[in-house]
Amino acid sequence: MTVAYLGLGANLGDARQTLKDAVVCLAQQHTISVLAKSSLYRTAPIDAGGDDYFNCVVKVDTTLPVRHLLALCQKIEHQFGRERPFRNAPRTLDLDILLYGEQSIDEPDLIVPHPRMAERAFVLVPLVEIDSALVIPQHGRAEALLGGVSDQRIEKVKGPCQCPMLNALSANGATEKGRCE
């Protein structure tokens, strides 16, 4: 098993609900155990136009090799209607592998740790919420990097999760069927 951190974001459609459904979808995979989920955060787009994004980070334990995890993330994005008309286009769902164990990967279509994670409040703030002692390879403690993103607007979405399926999954590990197939 490998501990990985995934970043989720969306700014099209019902982005908040999409993120909640995507976490449920991840939890339904027999090769993944969701260990922790951050709060939802609302952030301004960076290097892109469009509406504000909703973001969160999940910590998972997985038996999948990193390439298979990437394929699964892309499959889930597709199920939620992800299109890629141009770089940084608004999206229904974005799933990024932020960290995969302690591995460093530098390939044309996969870079881990995620190459811009140390520059993004929408990644660092949820990561620190989940694990304040987390060390990002080649960057150091995530918490120490927060000062470098303090000029980026990020706000925690108030209120408890209203998704009964996600609450049930969190409470007892049940695997009810949702949008994920």
Side-chain angles (χ1 to χ4, degrees), residues 14 16-17 19-21 24 37 40 157-168 170:
D14 188 350
R16 290 171 66 167
Q17 189 61 48
L19 294 183
K20 293 173 185 177
D21 290 346
V24 170
K37 176 194 156 304
L40 288 179
V157 176
K158 303 293 183 209
C161 174
Q162 299 300 313
C163 176
M165 187 180 304
L166 183 55
N167 288 336
S170 297

Side-chain angles (χ1 to χ4, degrees), residues 135-155:
V135 174
I136 300 171
Q138 304 152 11
H139 294 285
R141 281 182 59 126
E143 190 171 51
L145 300 169
L146 290 174
V149 298
S150 62
D151 61 331
Q152 296 174 23
R153 180 173 59 82
I154 182 166
E155 59 188 63

Side-chain angles (χ1 to χ4, degrees), residues 3-6 8 23 26 32-39 56-61 126-127 129-131 166 170:
V3 173
Y5 290 82
L6 306 176
L8 289 76
V23 173
L26 288 165
I32 292 177
S33 295
V34 175
L35 303 176
K37 176 194 156 304
S38 74
S39 301
C56 68
V57 169
V58 293
K59 177 181 180 181
V60 301
D61 206 5
L127 272 174
E129 177 187 330
I130 291 174
D131 184 352
L166 183 55
S170 297

Side-chain angles (χ1 to χ4, degrees), residues 100-123:
Y100 184 82
E102 295 183 15
Q103 290 189 30
S104 291
I105 303 164
D106 190 354
E107 297 175 3
D109 63 337
L110 179 63
I111 300 174
V112 178
H114 191 282
R116 292 172 301 284
M117 68 185 290
E119 305 165 6
R120 305 292 197 236
F122 65 82
V123 173

